[in-house]
Amino acid sequence: METAIAFWNILKKDIHNYYLKPPNISWGIIFPLSWTLMQLIRSPDMEIIELLPGLMAMSVLFGTTSMLAVTITFEKRAQSFDRLLLAPISLSTLVFAKLSGAIIFGMVNAFVPVAFARFFADLRGTNWPIAIIAVLLIAVTSALLGLLIAVSAKEVFEAQTFSNFFRFPMLFLCGLFVPIENLPSFVKPISFCLPLTYGTDALNRAIRGSSVFDPLFNVFIMVVFGALLFYLCQRNIKKNWIL
Amino acid sequence: MEIVSVTNLKKKYGDFLAVDDISFSIKEGEVFGFLGPNGAGKTSTINMMIGLSRPTSGQIIIDGINAVKDVKKVQRIIGVVPDENNLYGEMDGFENLCFCAALYGMRKAEREKRAKELLEQFNLTNAGKRPFRAYSKGMKRKLTIAAGIVHDPKILFLDEPTTGIDVESARQIRELILTLKDQGKTIFITTHYIEEAQRVCDRIAFIVKGRIVKIGTVRELLENAVSGHKLKLKVAGSLNGVKDELENHFQTLQVQIPDDNSILITSKERVALSPIVQWLDAKGISVYEAGEIKPTLEDVFIKITGNSCTKSEREKVI
Ligand SMILES: Nc1ncnc2c1ncn2[C@@H]1O[C@H](COP(=O)(O)OP(=O)(O)O)[C@@H](O)[C@H]1O
Ligand SMILES: [Mg+2]
């Protein structure tokens, strides 16, 4: 119960204090939103369904990573982070609370393109349970990636810039806008090492009805990636946060 | 009874030894002070005790718990006021206190009651609705201290509680420390103000360059400080040549003339005043005032660190 109280209040505080910080607005909200609108406006109606999985995946990716870059680095720099480290809660509880704020933000972000697409396209064929599970898992894995980056960064801009090194290539490597089949064969192995590839594939199945892998396989791979990233984060956090 | 015991504690940052093999213990209910110049290793020591940094070597036992291993168990019973005012600028005073209480698992009704109480106790009720970032430095400091005791900890760590704030807030904070002591709390305080240490601490450790150079109760430290007695006379008249004549006449005295109207007398034994006053009177020098100069912790500090501490380091302390 005590842990639950602490968890919930950290989450609530992050939402209250950091959702609307400028670096989160620019990279977490404005960037995915303008990319979405640009794509939707310049595409003929027919293709919107084709675009939607990529747009959703991108919104989750940018939303979660930028939110973590903000909630971790802002709080570290103001040294209020020490308060969280001093609280009698386990480090995992603290990490989960921090991740949850970003995951919720990313998931809400995913449905912004859906809201726009509804005006232009017929989404009745979508398998929502699979779509939601895919969005959740993309959010979890990208939040962990964001955390891994934020742990090593000192300033917010540093975390955002460093995130961009990963985020932008992933837009093209993970089948968001260019199908993996069309990628040159020497980059394909990289694609298959990125969890977002499997998340986008699952979204493709849910929305467009076609995918490279079976959705169950995609879910399995993303859970494995999640566990691995969580382990790496814990290790890095212990090294970087407690000197 | 000992509630904190630290043995052979060391902290290295790279090659730099910031805390150099220190040992001390704190008794339950006492105010224990760590007094030393900037960079002496006070914060580094606190951070190891509260679990924000790992000792390079050494042992820390707090209330029977191994504080190096069972960090979270220790954190349940301690309160920490860091050297920075690190509350949330976006949130108001009341929200900040409620949030800190929530970190210790306090329920909503309990949190809000406690936050109101503390705001009142610290004269911050009116500021309770303003964002923390809009506070003055003294108010920030007070709220940070309130946040440190929101969960009613058994042991309180205060890192330079009054550094850089106005006189009135500093006075209130010192009073509060004594109130907390009366409530039976054990308090560990670091400071570089000698006066403050002398006023609030039961026992003091002098720390210089990562080493504890002296430790004791304020009285013990003072008694050992200056061997002998020191008198200051306020006088009027010509003091030319008085120093040598006085020293010749009263063989046991050492005399200094710090300015045109005072005489400083040091002696191993107690000094009988009237012969001196009469002698001076005969020379046409009137004595208006005579007082003993008590040794201060500053004298103690200078005596101890005389060799190991440069003058500028000492001045920083004062
Ligand atoms: N994280 C750190 N990395 C490297 N050096 C440090 C670190 N923290 C403190 N120091 C150094 O250790 C010494 C002691 O610092 P500190 O414990 O903060 O002193 P105090 O609190 O007594 O002013 C200083 O010389 C400081 O520069
Ligand atoms: Mg310090």
Side-chain angles (χ1 to χ4, degrees), chain A residues 180-192:
Chain A
I180 304 227
E181 306 90 85
N182 299 0
L183 290 175
S185 57
F186 68 93
V187 293
K188 274 186 194 164
I190 307 176
S191 302
F192 291 118

Side-chain angles (χ1 to χ4, degrees), chain A residues 1-3 5-6 9-10 12-13 16-18 21 74-75 78-91 238-239 241-243, chain B residues 11 50-54 72 75-76 78 80 82-88 90-91 95 99-100 102-107 111 133 144 147-148:
Chain A
M1 187 60 203
E2 285 180 3
T3 303
I5 291 174
N9 278 277
I10 293 173
K12 211 167 63 173
K13 171 201 56 92
H16 172 268
N17 286 1
Y18 304 119
K21 285 275 185 220
F74 255 106
E75 203 162 0
Q79 296 185 24
S80 19
F81 205 84
D82 284 350
R83 297 197 166 271
L84 310 181
L85 293 173
L86 277 173
I89 50 168
S90 68
L91 208 54
K238 285 204 178 121
K239 206 173 66 191
W241 286 356
I242 299 175
L243 295 173
Chain B
K11 180 71 190 180
I50 62 180
L52 281 187
S53 99
R54 288 194 195 90
K72 293 293 156 188
Q75 288 178 342
R76 197 162 282 286
I78 63 171
V80 177
D83 51 359
E84 290 283 328
N85 298 320
N86 65 349
L87 287 164
Y88 297 93
E90 300 86 352
M91 295 171 6
E95 288 167 339
F99 174 72
C100 291
L103 289 178
Y104 291 84
M106 284 165 74
R107 278 152 205 272
R111 296 201 288 265
R133 75 159 85 81
T144 307

